[in-house]
Amino acid sequence: MVDETHDAQRKCWVAGADGHLEFPIQNLPLGIFSTPGDAPRGGIAIGERVLDISAARAAGLFDGEARVAAELAAGPTLNQLLAAGPAARNALRRRVSQILSDPAYAPLAPRMLHGAESCQMHLPLDVHNFSDFFAGIHHATTGGMINRPDNPLMPNYKYVPVAYHSRASSVRASGTAVRRPNGQRKPPDQAAPDFGPSRALDYEMELGVWIGEGNDLGMPIPIGSAGRHIAGLCLLNDWSARDIQSWESAPLGPFLAKSLMTSVSPWIVTAEALEPFRIAQPPRPAGDPAPLPHLLDDHDQAQGGFAIEFHVSLLTPAMREASEAPHRLSVSHASMLYWTVAQMIAHHTSNGCNLLPGDLLGSGTVSGTQPGSEGCLLEMTRGGRNPITLPNGEMRTYLQDGDEVIFSARCEAPGAVPIGFGECRGVVMPALRL
Ligand code: CA
């Protein structure tokens, strides 16, 4: 529900917050931060500052449900706060919005605000499970074309929100460098595989979903209430070693090509902040089957999508040395997802599988149909066949050592103050020499 926290007229006394491209007062994303010498704890981004939730609580600013929520955000992860569900998040959000919009609280700024540049951001949750979906239909189609040009999508694609269980232990917050993996590679012209550094390290631009309240084992989440289990969203880079992937994936799917590391943006943009940016799920093309009844809900079809635009940029070592800005490689949109997040949750639990607070879902690579909307280099370079040329003349098929991949995103809707996600970035380190 849209409320006073979304009011476009609401102003904030924190310098630079009004008109901030990512974190105006209408956003208030949750994260875990630390300052030098202090333990990681819950914070809220506001402009170029971070609100220290524990410090605001110590100053006596919270009562009732908001105080309970603030206590749940005091530790090194936000799992407990997310487990408490939407009411707890919303109580905290409404009170923090009130505090940051009322200049009477401005004198408390030195006690409860930190400059974002002095804060280190951490993974916001202890991630127990990470499931990666494949809901970007144009990514699935382009990838499928490589082996099945006439019939790129598998027969289950339009019935099942396809996913695999990925690795939770290697999820890291933005800014963590990714090590180029060693693995088995078998180029088509080689009779047998060899072992060595991946020659085809790629990124995948995905929407990340943080699960709030979980479900008990054996108790599916119905499609009609699945949306309530979305605590918030982030940006997710599913680093992928394409050469390792193409050799290892038959018949059980991706394994070491993906588990090397996954990066997420550190701020949880809450379901509440995203309310003004909910949109209808685009109608399925004529001839596509309707979702089966357990995945179909009128409200979800009318409101289950998100107006989020994704941006991918690349900064090479040469560009960094020349003090050049990152080069934007692509722009895509969450409306390119064939399944809603609620459908992913309903499907995931339809067999009774239990989700836990802080579980992470990836949407699958979000790509459009036009050049410049591809969510990974595999698509952009047609499997490495068509290198891209950067403005400084450098060429890329896949990532080289020292390259930095930067994701950002923006939500816009009529009458709403636009909000962003912050960045999800990671630089490629050379492989270990074995
Ligand atoms: Ca993926």
Side-chain angles (χ1 to χ4, degrees), residues 135-137 157-158 281 284-285 288-289 336-340 343:
I137 189 168
Y157 190 85
K158 293 177 177 177
Q281 176 67 0
R284 292 186 163 199
D288 280 13
M336 298 294 146
L337 295 170
Y338 192 75
W339 297 99
T340 67
Q343 286 174 318

Side-chain angles (χ1 to χ4, degrees), residues 77-94:
T77 73
L78 294 172
N79 292 70
Q80 283 189 298
L81 176 60
L82 264 54
R89 287 194 311 270
N90 207 25
L92 183 62
R93 172 183 171 82
R94 293 179 86 155

Side-chain angles (χ1 to χ4, degrees), residues 168-367:
S169 66
S170 54
V171 176
R172 289 291 181 277
S174 169
T176 307
V178 61
R179 172 84 64 186
R180 179 182 301 278
N182 286 291
Q184 283 199 24
R185 314 155 303 182
K186 199 196 87 60
D189 57 352
Q190 218 169 277
D194 57 13
F195 184 84
S198 170
R199 301 183 187 100
L201 184 61
D202 199 356
Y203 58 83
E204 290 192 336
M205 167 52 244
E206 303 194 22
L207 181 64
V209 181
W210 294 112
I211 297 296
E213 286 172 293
N215 59 306
D216 291 333
L217 180 63
M219 297 299 290
I221 299 173
I223 180 69
S225 57
R228 278 180 53 87
H229 294 261
I230 305 169
L233 304 180
C234 64
L235 304 176
L236 185 150
N237 185 345
D238 181 27
W239 301 99
S240 300
R242 301 301 182 192
D243 43 359
I244 299 172
Q245 184 180 356
S246 64
W247 172 237
E248 75 172 3
S249 289
L252 290 186
F255 187 47
L256 303 181
K258 304 279 190 172
S259 61
L260 59 121
M261 197 173 107
T262 304
S263 300
V264 292
S265 55
W267 292 107
I268 303 170
V269 178
T270 64
E272 292 69 42
L274 289 161
E275 273 294 318
F277 309 102
R278 300 307 296 252
I279 54 174
Q281 176 67 0
R284 292 186 163 199
D288 280 13
L292 294 181
H294 71 294
L295 297 177
L296 186 58
D297 175 77
D298 288 347
H299 184 258
D300 181 48
Q301 291 297 306
Q303 291 283 315
F306 292 98
I308 308 175
E309 189 178 86
F310 303 106
H311 304 153
V312 179
S313 298
L314 181 68
L315 184 66
T316 69
M319 293 161 69
R320 201 177 298 120
E321 212 152 285
S323 300
E324 289 168 4
H327 172 64
R328 182 167 292 178
L329 292 176
S330 69
V331 178
S332 60
H333 196 279
S335 61
M336 298 294 146
L337 295 170
Y338 192 75
W339 297 99
T340 67
V341 174
Q343 286 174 318
M344 295 178 204
I345 292 170
H347 173 68
H348 202 313
T349 63
S350 62
N351 66 344
C353 173
N354 53 324
L355 295 178
L356 298 173
D359 276 3
L360 177 63
L361 312 182
S363 64
T365 308
V366 186
S367 298

